[in-house]
Amino acid sequence: MSKLIIPKNYEALLDMKQTEQGIKLIKEFFQQNLSTELRLRRVTAPLFVLQGLGINDDLNGVERPVTFPIKDLGDARAEVVHSLAKWKRLTLAEYQVELGHGVYTDMNAIRADEELDNLHSLYVDQWDWEAVISKEQRTLAFLKNVVERIYAAILRTEYLTCETYPQLRPFLPEKIHFIHSEELLQMYPDKTPKEREDAICRKYGAVFIIGIGGELSNGEKHDGRAPDYDDWSTVAENGLAGLNGDILIWYPVLERSFELSSMGIRVDKESLLRQLKIAGKEERKQLFFHQQLLSDKLPLSIGGGIGQSRLCMVLLHKGHIGEIQASIWPDDMRQECARMGMPLI
């Protein structure tokens, strides 16, 4: 329970009934706004995929997927998805989604290696989305435009939530600030990546940190990214590598930065081969997903994931994600949260 953050003077502004109603309101309104803003159609997504196809998301490359044997397939093993970053791109091709349109889905995952705290749960739910783009749109300017449109949908949802529950006060800034992870390092060279996120989010309120996954000038990464979905190695217009990033906000309830979304322009053939080599994962070129991409059978795309429980937690001013979703927590964490007025579902 050492990672549990106890908010100062915490008071739940909504009771459990209002919270459940608020969750429904936010989820229905935001996904409709996201769909309209980015021209996305809803599709049905898998909870698990077969091992060995290269479809599952490897996240930072160290998390172990939950696996199980399938009796009717000769005990072939399936694994619960971590996210749907690569599956969505296959779906764009299968559904023959046209340029400028895309898909979104409810992604549910189990991440057994997650370190449990106020923000991290074994159960992950997010809106996973993916859209077809042209070669000319694989630019930093296009990425920023999409980020601004997603952030606008978040602001509209905050407004509706606060209008519905006047005891909640809006706190998100009107604009989101853009900064590259290398620029952030230069601003705060003596801080850890997490401390740098806290500092920049405290300053601007809402930030998109560009370039997650590539090595910085100090020889370290701001954070890990698998080599085969986001493009973190292409040099963009600003002369720095990275066509991906994270949307973070300053969350006053916990007095810390808070990640709402990870997203980016996806790898093309050149950046896939480059990143597999950098990561020492060149054997993945033989996997199904990678072969489809290298054979020009997948469209160029942009995509990401937006945390459902996380967005609800922020907009309903909750202190723990367990106030929003049902999951498993250590007994001592449940007891301490109940004592502090943060009852976990």
Side-chain angles (χ1 to χ4, degrees):
M1 200 180 66
S2 59
K3 287 181 171 283
L4 181 66
I5 301 171
I6 304 298
K8 296 178 182 177
N9 304 314
Y10 181 73
E11 179 185 358
L13 300 178
L14 303 179
D15 61 28
M16 294 186 76
K17 180 181 177 181
Q18 291 173 316
T19 298
E20 293 288 3
Q21 293 170 336
I23 292 170
K24 181 176 183 290
L25 175 77
I26 291 168
K27 288 190 174 185
E28 290 180 350
F29 183 80
F30 178 77
Q31 71 178 5
Q32 183 176 8
N33 271 258
L34 180 70
S35 172
T36 304
E37 190 70 55
L38 301 183
R39 294 193 286 187
L40 307 174
R41 303 160 186 155
R42 189 192 179 279
V43 295
T44 301
L47 176 60
F48 39 80
V49 294
L50 282 172
Q51 278 188 339
L53 297 180
I55 296 176
N56 204 358
D57 180 359
D58 296 294
L59 301 177
N60 292 326
V62 296
E63 294 89 347
R64 300 168 299 171
V66 175
T67 65
F68 58 92
I70 306 171
K71 184 180 70 172
D72 277 3
L73 293 182
D75 279 349
R77 298 196 71 82
E79 54 188 33
V80 176
V81 297
H82 277 146
S83 85
L84 298 169
K86 290 178 278 190
W87 177 89
K88 290 175 298 180
R89 198 164 176 185
L90 292 166
T91 300
L92 291 178
E94 182 180 358
Y95 284 35
Q96 298 181 335
V97 176
E98 60 267 36
L99 179 66
H101 294 76
V103 300
Y104 80 94
T105 191
D106 290 296
M107 192 285 298
N108 297 289
I110 301 172
R111 297 181 182 173
D113 287 337
E114 205 70 83
E115 293 186 11
L116 306 181
D117 58 22
N118 300 61
L119 307 185
H120 297 90
S121 170
L122 298 175
Y123 170 65
V124 179
D125 57 341
Q126 62 186 33
W127 292 284
D128 253 339
W129 65 274
E130 198 85 10
V132 179
I133 63 174
S134 66
K135 182 178 180 181
E136 292 71 29
Q137 289 173 320
R138 298 189 78 257
T139 66
L140 187 58
F142 182 79
L143 173 64
K144 288 181 176 180
N145 177 262
V146 173
V147 170
E148 289 172 339
R149 289 155 66 188
I150 292 173
Y151 187 68
I154 293 173
L155 286 181
R156 288 194 292 271
T157 309
E158 182 189 44
Y159 174 79
L160 174 65
T161 306
C162 293
E163 283 289 291
T164 305
Y165 302 103
Q167 62 269 49
L168 303 176
R169 299 296 226 178
F171 64 89
L172 294 175
E174 291 187 9
K175 301 291 184 181
I176 187 167
H177 179 76
F178 293 90
I179 189 167
H180 193 278
S181 54
E182 177 63 35
E183 296 173 315
L184 194 57
L185 172 63
Q186 298 306 318
M187 285 180 66
Y188 306 108
D190 299 326
K191 295 183 182 294
T192 66
K194 179 65 183 67
E195 290 170 342
R196 296 197 289 270
E197 290 177 356
D198 285 345
I200 199 69
C201 287
R202 185 191 292 271
K203 182 175 182 179
Y204 290 104
V207 181
F208 186 75
I209 300 178
I210 304 164
I212 307 291
E215 190 174 289
L216 303 177
S217 60
N218 64 353
E220 301 174 357
K221 301 175 183 178
H222 182 82
D223 199 359
R225 281 293 188 278
D228 40 18
Y229 58 100
D230 281 356
D231 187 339
W232 42 257
S233 64
T234 292
V235 177
E237 300 95 301
N238 59 5
L240 297 170
L243 291 173
N244 72 335
D246 292 340
I247 296 175
L248 299 100
I249 57 135
W250 178 254
Y251 190 39
V253 174
L254 297 179
E255 296 186 311
R256 56 157 288 167
S257 58
F258 192 115
E259 181 186 323
L260 289 177
S261 176
S262 173
M263 58 175 288
I265 290 172
R266 307 308 198 186
V267 289
D268 57 10
K269 288 194 295 186
E270 290 75 19
S271 53
L272 172 65
L273 292 172
R274 179 169 59 249
Q275 291 178 186
L276 288 176
K277 184 175 182 179
I278 292 171
K281 303 288 187 181
E282 291 183 279
E283 72 280 359
R284 291 189 186 178
K285 289 186 291 185
Q286 307 306 317
L287 298 174
F288 172 75
F289 170 82
H290 304 71
Q291 282 292 304
Q292 293 291 104
L293 178 54
L294 294 172
S295 301
D296 294 314
K297 295 180 180 178
L298 302 181
L300 298 174
S301 67
I302 182 173
I306 303 164
Q308 294 188 16
S309 290
R310 284 195 172 199
L311 183 63
C312 293
M313 177 182 169
V314 164
L315 298 187
L316 298 177
H317 299 199
K318 296 296 185 178
H320 196 291
I321 200 166
E323 295 178 85
I324 298 295
Q325 55 157 254
S327 186
I328 297 174
W329 307 99
D331 287 341
D332 56 351
M333 183 179 289
R334 278 192 175 276
Q335 293 166 7
E336 182 64 13
C337 287
R339 188 180 70 82
M340 296 302 297
M342 299 187 298
L344 305 187
I345 298 173

